[in-house]
Amino acid sequence: MASSRTVCVMDASGHLGSALVHLLLHRGYTVHAALQPHPNGFQSVEELLPSSNKNLKIFDADPFDYHSITAALKGCCGLFYCFQPPSDHSTYDEFMAEIEARAAHNVLEACAQTDTIEKVVFTSSVTAVIWNESRTGSDLDEKNWTDINFCKKFKLWHALSKTLAEKSAWALAMDRDINMVTINGGLLMTPGLTITNPYLKGAAEMYEDGVFVTVDLRFIADAHICVFEDVSSYGRYLCFNHVINCSHDADKLAQMLLPSSDPSPPQSWEKASIYHQRISNKKLNNLMMEFENDQLLSN
């Protein structure tokens, strides 16, 4: 039987994965950090993870190699799964959806075959929630799903990939009775973020629709741990802590995203308007309030 405090983080090579590893180790977990080679990421494991920590075990795990996944999961009671594009296909294009959905299916199948796994926290995206034909309808929350045909029509490849991967994961989780929760994160604010980030396709429309949201790394990492530790967590959770819905915020973000030689924000952001927020993270906020209170009491 596994230690009740051993968990796996896959892929641990990205910003979110490595942040989760550090926070979980700090909370006393033993962590299996599963990594695949990623040339756009960190240069070495030593840079990424505190390799001297006796509670950290590092695994080579390819989401397209079932046996490497099961090896990383062995003895774990939980999995935090954050997809990282493979090194030979790092661009979000029309083929990425199939790649990401296949990876999600492999990982969930491995969880179903690992009898110690009690819970999976699956990282998805707000882009799997917000895109459909009736963009000016009612407010959006976890019950909403992005329309796949809409994504194909407008070449929203990031949204298509995240939607199909999450749907694939949910189908397998329900079929195999896996306890899974998803965190649907906003645009992750990390060092080196640029206008080429695939999440930003359709940014002007997201802004005008009141659904352009961002999330800080620490906030989304805490959210993952919160939903893992809270036995009452279920389903999907929209995760963001800032809404870009006025020209001041849009300009600030544009200055951060664009190279210094091109300081002009997209034209449609220049209007001095405030757009009504049409997306709710109330479900997660209610859960996080208790988590943050516990954090304060334990410090």
Side-chain angles (χ1 to χ4, degrees), residues 15-187:
H15 289 290
L16 175 56
S18 59
L20 281 168
V21 169
H22 283 87
L23 286 173
L24 289 162
L25 288 170
H26 182 69
R27 290 177 76 79
Y29 288 89
T30 295
V31 179
H32 291 189
L35 303 117
Q36 60 171 324
H38 192 64
N40 299 325
F42 297 82
Q43 290 182 338
S44 68
V45 171
E46 286 72 26
E47 268 183 62
L48 169 65
L49 301 171
S51 54
S52 60
N53 192 307
K54 63 181 173 50
N55 290 330
L56 175 65
K57 296 176 182 175
I58 294 166
F59 292 79
D60 290 324
D62 181 341
F64 308 102
D65 175 1
Y66 179 78
H67 296 292
S68 72
I69 303 168
T70 54
L73 292 175
K74 189 176 180 182
C76 293
C77 68
L79 168 68
F80 295 85
Y81 176 68
C82 334
F83 176 77
Q84 282 288 110
S87 56
D88 60 351
H89 196 118
S90 58
T91 306
Y92 272 86
D93 56 18
E94 63 268 41
F95 305 110
M96 182 61 88
E98 185 187 341
I99 293 168
E100 191 163 348
R102 188 155 49 92
H105 184 276
N106 288 348
V107 170
L108 267 291
E109 181 60 44
C111 288
Q113 297 290 343
T114 305
D115 58 8
T116 54
I117 291 287
E118 296 167 11
K119 197 171 198 175
V120 175
V121 181
F122 184 99
T123 310
S124 186
S125 174
V126 165
T127 61
V129 172
I130 60 173
W131 291 111
N132 57 65
E133 292 285 355
S134 56
R135 281 179 28 222
T136 54
S138 56
D139 290 2
L140 303 177
D141 62 17
E142 288 81 5
K143 295 187 290 293
N144 296 95
W145 280 92
T146 283
D147 182 274
I148 288 163
N149 291 326
F150 185 87
C151 292
K152 290 176 179 174
K153 181 179 176 182
F154 293 101
K155 300 183 178 179
L156 297 162
W157 304 131
H158 183 272
L160 180 67
S161 296
K162 295 301 176 187
T163 305
L164 288 176
E166 190 188 342
K167 280 179 178 278
S168 175
W170 276 119
L172 208 144
M174 288 189 278
D175 183 56
R176 305 299 295 276
D177 199 25
I178 299 166
N179 179 15
M180 187 177 88
V181 179
T182 65
I183 293 287
N184 294 70
L187 175 66

Side-chain angles (χ1 to χ4, degrees), residues 208-228:
E208 290 167 7
D209 291 350
V211 296
F212 191 4
V213 291
T214 67
V215 65
D216 297 329
L217 183 58
R218 179 60 192 260
F219 185 85
I220 194 171
D222 279 346
H224 278 70
I225 295 170
C226 170
V227 300
F228 178 73

